[in-house]
Every structure is written in structure tokens, then in C-alpha cells.
Amino acid sequence: MLTILRLVAFALFLYAPLSLAETVLQRGNGAEPETLDFHKSSGVPEANIQRDLFEGLVTESADGKLQPGVAESWETSADGKTYTFHLRKEVKWSDGSALTAADFVYAWRRALAPETASDYAFILWPVAGAESYSKGESKDPASIAIKAVDPHTLEVQLNAPTAYFLGMLTHHMTYPLAQAELEKFGKDWTKPGNLVSNGAYRLSEWQPQSHIKLEKNPQYRDAANVAIDTVKYIPTEDKNTELKRFRAGELDITDDIPSDQTAWVKENLPDAFRNSAYIGTYYYALNLEHPAFKDKPKLRRALSLAIDREILTEKITQSGEIPAYGWVPAVEGYTQQTMEEKSLDKAARVALAKQLYAESGYTADKPLELEILYNTSDNHKKLAVAVAAMWKQTLGVTTQLRNEEWKVYLSSRSQKQFQVIRSGWIGDYNDAYSFLGLFKSDVGEMNPSNYKNPEFDRLMKEAETQADAKLRSEAMAQAERVLLADMPIVPVYHYTTQHLVSSKVTGWVDNVMDVHPSRYLGIK
Amino acid sequence: MLRYVLRRLWGAIPTLLVIITLAFFLIRLAPGGPFDSERPVPPEIAANLERAYHLDQPLPVQYGYYLLNVLQGDFGPSFKYKDHSVSELIAQGFPVSLQLGMLAMLLALLLGIPAGMAAALHHNRPLDHVLMAVAMTGITIPNFVMAPLLALVFGVFLQWLPVAGWGSGWQSMVLPVIALALPQVAYAARLMRASMLETLSSPHIRTAFAKGLPLRLILWRHVLKGALLPLISWLGPATAAIVTGSVVIEQIFGIPGIGRHFVQGALNRDYTLVMGVVVFYGGLIIAMNLLVDVLYGWFDPRVRYG
């Protein structure tokens, strides 16, 4: 008996250091990643993984602020149109080969090449020559104004001073690419064993719909400060399953929580629940091509005023969302704008809504008849029911609800087959332009209301060409005031993020971009 | 027997062609396309995407391309999961679905047959009523209710088994296999009971009892073979249903099987992925039915000469 106990003790002794040796982080990650080819991806699940695998010229700190990445420093020309980046000399690819400025030139040219068929190529269009090459108007990749001056110096010329350019460089479309690997493996370059990365981690395993496993990259420039050895990204479309897995200890971080469980989570898992502001706005877009709304700013304003956003966020969404009286959420270097009527009390707002509704020619006997289109989701449905009830109660508007499956909804939306549509917008970078750019006349389908106002366009053009940050911000604020006066949309709330983070995870910092690179995290 | 098999195989070709054609055109009828997103891309970029996947060609031309590729065993690239071809996704997902389905089927037979036999032998007695009540419950509770319940009790509360995932040892298989098998256990038990009762009341069994043969011998030699026939004809569609019907279970337990690809493919309008899975499953169901017909023919020679 004693011998057996000794053997067990010895086995435990052997096992203990092994189990302590490797730290593993299990992250819930929403949908299965479409691709790890960062020139072909567009979603958040892919971006989370790519952020661990790759690093751009500029990167984010744990709290989502910009900080030097592969570039240790940079200068901007006096006219704000030329950026010169100085790359760190020690940066390497995960196979140990040197990473040079040419790797960025190669990557950006590939990103913009029409045959790459990248749906996010347009994000690089502020670079001189990028748009015409991407559209196939120019066939010469050298016409894109990105140049490797020497192996450690990169020069980029822009069409106009672009204040958000540095923020844009954290986007996956701007990462470097190892040319040799791509040419060797072709479209299989993203497979485990083939993929060469320059971030804190390298790819070790990928089983679709099961997991993606990353392991620490010893060649990473800051590898000494990377605490977690292995990161497992686990796709979990079903939020309820994700919650159960977290409760069972199978996940350390969840991608989201089911909205109908928020109250339960707040009460039962208060230490793990992380809820913070997110760079996004939930809104209703009014179709300005539809006779109901065309040339009727008073009616649009009445509909917006009749919505009680506090009730919607407190009683329906219940995840700490911030009632939205303006379009742009809290972003850096910008003063948030709100509808003029925000300062009025509720009774005054309702009175004004009734007055504007009546002035638009509608009465109790002749009410406005509307239809709200939303995609299948309990939350969208609950909100639409509540908004319809508020319109009915305050103004007497009769509202029908139309629910469509996601792709059907997108099709109706692009063909403008709706009167009112629920929508949401998440900023690509931490700058007001990422929101206001949506309502320029030449944006096309992305502007769901089909809003067009020359004054708004003029102010946005002014912001686009303005090198002075303060003046640029003021031009955008003026543009937003024009937008809010015209009211082509009804902002409802600014998004928040909801995660469950295990108490054993260290280094998690809530931030408005919701970026949490694994290299800043640790396990207690 | 060989001629019978070959005849059946030859007959399967037009069936498969009809499946491919119907699936190809039906999925194109669904509104929305694979590249539609909340952030519509500029028209030039949309054109680049369509060109890359031959979607700029007329539909009959695309259909022609598809048929030619399928004949060469190539299901094409996935529109959504751009790093994988459809064949790769099926090759990765099918063994998992098959393993899950086969284990569930095995469990269904191991539990269902003895339960059905016991119920038949205790006809209209308490054991029969209890077993049939349990079977009825198994059939009526859908597995999208049963599966989360099992995960909650055995995964979250008791922490005996993993809530979700696959491939981390036998533990991860237990809950999904049980959840998938439960309704089939119930079907197998009810089917076995009915068929046993019928066989037990047939003249040759009554003669055997009259001759004083022991019960064990009568059951094994005379009852079982006859009673299993309806179960065998049920086996084909049931296996196909269990392998294809694991979609919900795979989704709930996060299992990387083919069913998950099918659901996500349909939602994403990933034409090639959905087509690939439909064609693959079509072939599989045809093969399963053929196998059952052959087995049936072996058990009952009247079929193959009929």
C-alpha cells in the first residue's frame, strides 16, 4: 500500500512542474474565422486571431491606445501627406528571417491588387495611387505611393492629410507579408506549418469549427514579456453554449454573453462580467427615397423625439448601452454632438414631437403608416416592438414589423426596399471620420438612408484636407450638426461590449476598440 | 446478387443528378449573395470578388462548370471559409459526424433492442408500460431541448463531463452521443416491441412453444431473426437521419462536424459549401439505402428475386 502511495506521489511530483510549465488561454471567439489571410478577411473573429499572429507598423497598447509596432518611430511632412517610418532593426519573421520595409510594400500591393479580391481594399485608398490600382485603372503596382527607402525605412504618400492614418495602420489590411511563403505555398500559405508571422504568436493548429491554436513566437521582438504560451481560439456561434462553457471552466474569456442572460450574469458572475463602451452606434435609418420621408425633416425629427432611449436601454437591451442623441460615439479627439432637443425634459420633447408630427400633416384620423424592417434576432424584435409602441402612444403612428433572415435583410437593404430599417455601425478606427464618412453623398450602398446634403459634403471635404487636428475636428462636428438637423437616421444607443473574463486572467483592460491582444494577458 | 447491386447503382445516377440540379438552382433562388455584408463593398471591389469566383458568368455556364468539377471530384472553393476547399471541409467534418452518428446509432440499438424485447415479453404488464412511457418521452422531447439540459446538468452543475467541444478524449463524446441517440433509442424500442409481438403470435412460434422448446432457444433461433427485419429496413433511413440530423447537436455542443458546415454555409449563402454537403449527403443516403436493400435481400431472399 505504501509503495502505491509513493508511486502516486512521485507521479504527481512529475506531473506538477509539467502542468505549471505551460500557460494556456482559452478564448471564445464568435463565428468560425473565414480566413487567416488578412487581405481577405473583414470580421472581428479573424481580426482577433490576426492581431495575435501579426503586427503592423503601429499597434495597440493593452488599453487600445496607439503605440509603435514594427516601426519604432515616424515623421510626417509639413503638409501632412508624407509619412516616413523607421522600422525596428530587430524585427523578424517567426522562421527567423529578417522583416524589412519591402515586406510592407509587397503586402500593400497584394492587398490592392484586383485579383486578390479583397473586400477591404478600400481602407488603403487614402494612399496616393491606391484607389486607381485597386479599381484596375492603373496596372502598375509601382504607382502606389509606398516605397522601401532602405530595409528599415518606409515612405508612404497620401492623397491628402489623413488624421486617422496612424490609427488605420493597426488594421489587418496594413500588416506585412512574407513574400517567400506566399509564393511557395500559394493559397495554402495560411495553413499551420506554412504560415509565417511576425506577431507575438505563431499558428500551430487549425481545426475548422473546433479551434485555432497559437503558440508563443520566440522570434517576436517583445517575446520576453509574453506570458501566455498557448492561446486556443474557440469558435462559438451559440452564445448560450459559450456561457455554459465559461461556467464549466472550459473557457477563460467569452466573446459575448446572451442578451437574455445579462441580468443573471450581473447577479451571479459579477466579478467576471466586463461591460464597457464600444465604438459603435445602433440606429434606425429612414429611407429618404421613400415618399413617407422625402423632404420631410419635421416628420423625421418627430419620430426621433418620440423615442424614449432611456427606457429602451434600461428595460430592453439592459447591457449598459448608452442612449444616443448623436451619431458619433465617444472617440478620440472629437467632441460628441447631440440633437438640440437633448436638453429638453421628456414632456417638452413629447410636446415638440406631437407639434412637428401635426405640422407634417398627420392627425389622429389620418395617421402615418410605417413599416420597420429588422433582421432575425430577439433583441432587434424587442426594440422594434418598443419603438413602434412609443410611436403609437406619442404620435399615433401605425407601425408594421417586418422580420427577415440576415442575407434577405441585406438584399432588401441594398435595394432600398424598406421605409425604416434597424442598423448598426462599428467604427474601423478610433476617429469620428469612420462614422461621418458614411453619410457622404458618394458613399453608395453603405449610406442606408441615401442621405445627400452638399453642405455636409463640403464640411467633410474640409475635414479630409485639413492638416490641423483641431480645425478638422471642428469641421466634422459641424458636419454632424448638419446631419442631426436633417435627421435621416434615428440614433438609438451607443454599443457596449460584454465579455466574461475569468478571475484567473490578468492584464485585461476594457477599451473602446475592444482589442485585447493575448500578449498583454496572463494566467494567475 | 451482384446484378441486383449493379442495377441499383446505375439507378442512383439520375437521382444524384436531380439532387445536384435542384440544389444548384434552389440555393441561387434564395435572396442575398455570398458577398453581401452590412458594409457593402465599392462596386469595383464587388466586381473583383465576383470575377474571382466566376459569379459574373451566366447561371447555366456556372452550372456547367459545377457539374464538370463535381465529375472530377472537385467541389470547388468555399466562398466564406476562403482558406479551405469544400472537399477539405467535408474531409475534416465527415469523420467527426460519422463517429458521432455511429456511436449514437450503436447506443440506440444496444439500448433499444433489449428494451423493446423486454417490453414485448412483458406485454401489458408494468414493465411494458414503464418502458413505453420512457420511449414516448424520448420521442417527444426534441434534442434541442434535451441537449442543453444534459450540458447544464452534467457539464455545469456536476462538472462531470465537458459542456462542448470534441476530440479531447471520450468524455467530450458522452453528452452529444446520448443527446443524439435518445430519440432513436425510443424508436428502436417501440419498433422492436411491435415486431416482437407480431412474431410471437405467429403460428410457427406457437408451434415451437407447444413442442416445449425452451424460451431462450425460441427467442434466439426463431423470434429474433424475424423480429429484426422491420428494424433493418428502419436502419438505413435512421442512420442517414442520425448522421445528417446531427446538425442541431453539432451546433449546440460545438462539434466540428459536417452539419455545422451545412448550417453556416446556408446562412452565409456559401453556395459551393452547401452544394458540396448536399451532394455528399445525397450520395451517402443513396448508399445507405442500397446497403439496407442488400442486407434485406440477404435476410429475406424473396426481395432479390422479386
Side-chain angles (χ1 to χ4, degrees), chain A residues 201-216:
Chain A
Y201 292 88
R202 58 188 182 191
L203 179 66
S204 81
E205 220 175 278
W206 183 359
Q207 191 174 358
Q209 303 287 6
S210 173
H211 65 267
I212 284 188
K213 195 166 145 190
L214 312 183
E215 59 185 35
K216 192 172 161 178

Side-chain angles (χ1 to χ4, degrees), chain A residues 241 250, chain B residues 96-97 99-105 107-108 143-144 146-152 154-155 161-185 242 245-257:
Chain A
T241 301
E250 292 167 27
Chain B
V96 176
S97 293
Q99 202 178 3
L100 172 67
M102 287 296 119
L103 285 172
M105 200 67 219
L107 186 68
N143 51 17
F144 62 82
M146 186 55 84
L149 211 63
L150 287 172
L152 199 64
F154 295 100
L161 295 160
V163 169
W166 189 259
S168 52
W170 61 270
Q171 293 94 332
S172 60
M173 298 180 182
V174 176
L175 293 182
V177 167
I178 291 176
L180 188 58
L182 277 180
Q184 305 300 335
V185 172
I242 217 166
S246 58
V247 172
V248 176
I249 297 296
E250 287 179 14
Q251 198 74 8
I252 293 172
F253 287 103
I255 296 168

Side-chain angles (χ1 to χ4, degrees), chain A residues 34-36 40 117-120 135 190-191 206 208-209 237 241 245 247 250 405 407 426 428 446, chain B residues 33-34 36 39-41 44-45 49 80-83 88 92 159 162-164 252 256 260-261 267 269:
Chain A
E34 292 177 22
T35 167
L36 290 183
K40 297 184 179 179
S118 168
D119 49 5
Y120 241 92
K135 286 179 172 176
T190 53
K191 300 272 166 73
W206 183 359
Q209 303 287 6
E237 283 104 4
T241 301
R245 294 190 84 169
R247 291 173 66 191
E250 292 167 27
E405 184 261 349
K407 291 278 182 178
I426 308 293
D428 285 320
M446 265 203 274
Chain B
D36 286 349
R39 301 173 172 225
V41 295
E44 296 83 2
I45 288 180
L49 283 164
K80 177 80 174 175
Y81 306 117
K82 295 164 191 150
D83 295 352
E88 275 172 359
Q92 279 167 340
Q159 303 225 334
V163 169
I252 293 172
R260 258 183 120 184
H261 288 315
L267 292 176
R269 306 289 191 273

Side-chain angles (χ1 to χ4, degrees), chain B residues 127-138:
Chain B
L127 182 67
D128 181 23
H129 296 309
V130 169
L131 283 172
M132 284 308 106
V134 172
M136 209 56 217
T137 317

Side-chain angles (χ1 to χ4, degrees), chain A residues 334-354:
Chain A
Y334 184 76
T335 311
Q336 257 185 296
Q337 303 298 308
T338 53
M339 294 158 55
E340 285 171 21
E341 296 84 353
K342 194 201 170 185
S343 54
L344 298 177
D345 64 23
K346 196 176 160 185
R349 261 186 241 159
V350 167
L352 183 58
K354 285 181 174 169

